[in-house]
Amino acid sequence: MPCRRADMIETITEGTVRWLMLARPAAANALNQATCSALADALQQAAQEPAVGAVVLGAAGDRAFCAGADLKEFADLPKAEAAQRRRTLLMDTLYTLLDFPKPLLACVQAPAVGAGAMLALACDEIVMAEHAWLSLPEIRLGMPTPVGAAIVAQRASRPVVQRLVQAGERIDAGQALQAGLVDHVAPAEALRERCATLAQARGAHAGHAYAANKRWINRDLRQHLAKAAEAATLASQIATSPRPQET
């Protein structure tokens, strides 16, 4: 079972299944430029290797699948500029996941928060540990998240979008399964085996047909995400623009 580490992503190949592991457990696997760049490179390589039938996106440690964007990065920039840099990074990563032509499963072993939840939701299939949960806490921080709303709406009903996006509530694994946000829930000790079995099965169908189907399935979400990113940028600009003084 060969294993190598490239930047912030650990790559493991098991037969026809390629595991890409977010490898920043000390930082709750938060997304920074290095991680996103390494993930994009690893996915590109997996797409080009005929022996890889499917990819599983996982994460190291038991603290979090991914805690979202690394807010320490770009902290020296003006608030609006930092937000835009993080948004661009997130959008590029989401598009990379959506455009990956082979089966892509998320193995969510712990809480997936903010951009981390979006990362999982952009995968074709999600397997979540029964103790894990999803949340989009941006509303509690005064941050708009049209991108989060768009990606949740692809899988779930409006009331679920309302709970996650507008109420900022956590949704546990059982609730997420019932809402259609995730596809499978497994005990922690059986999670990895469940993901491997599903990935191997999905990879058996990989090829031109799978890629064509995936492009069609994701076509509307891609368009909605682009518009959502524009809306988020506009909202950020309005929030940070100087207000006219009262006379």
Side-chain angles (χ1 to χ4, degrees), residues 2-32:
C3 173
R4 64 183 176 79
R5 184 178 298 275
D7 295 326
M8 304 296 181
I9 299 293
E10 184 178 359
T11 303
I12 305 168
T13 302
E14 297 178 343
T16 61
V17 178
R18 175 70 51 83
W19 290 76
L20 301 179
M21 307 293 291
L22 303 176
R24 300 186 70 207
N29 296 313
L31 298 176
N32 60 7

Side-chain angles (χ1 to χ4, degrees), residues 113-137:
V113 181
M118 299 179 216
L119 203 69
L121 292 169
C123 294
D124 302 330
E125 204 163 347
I126 304 169
V127 189
M128 178 176 277
E130 59 187 8
H131 67 275
W133 44 265
L134 299 169
S135 75
L136 294 174

Side-chain angles (χ1 to χ4, degrees), residues 32-160:
N32 60 7
Q33 290 186 93
T35 301
C36 292
S37 177
L39 178 57
D41 290 345
L43 284 169
Q44 182 179 22
Q45 183 175 354
Q48 295 172 348
E49 293 185 27
V52 176
V55 167
V56 179
L57 177 61
D62 55 11
R63 180 180 171 190
F65 169 76
C66 176
D70 189 340
L71 298 181
K72 294 180 180 179
E73 194 169 43
F74 312 129
D76 57 333
L77 298 177
K79 186 175 180 180
E81 184 178 350
Q84 184 60 47
R85 292 281 292 274
R86 287 192 291 268
R87 188 177 303 113
T88 298
L89 193 63
L90 173 61
M91 295 304 300
D92 289 345
T93 303
L94 293 178
Y95 288 143
T96 297
L97 297 175
L98 292 174
D99 294 342
F100 181 68
K102 298 178 180 181
L104 178 61
L105 287 76
C107 183
V108 182
Q109 91 293 1
V113 181
M118 299 179 216
L119 203 69
L121 292 169
C123 294
D124 302 330
E125 204 163 347
I126 304 169
V127 189
M128 178 176 277
E130 59 187 8
H131 67 275
W133 44 265
L134 299 169
S135 75
L136 294 174
E138 287 86 349
I139 191 72
R140 298 179 181 274
L141 303 173
M143 299 166 56
T145 182
V147 174
I151 205 163
V152 171
Q154 174 76 356
R155 283 178 165 265
S157 65
R158 181 183 175 92
V160 175

Side-chain angles (χ1 to χ4, degrees), residues 194-210:
R194 178 67 168 148
C195 291
T197 299
L198 286 167
Q200 187 173 7
R202 302 298 180 258
H205 302 298
H208 173 71
Y210 189 96

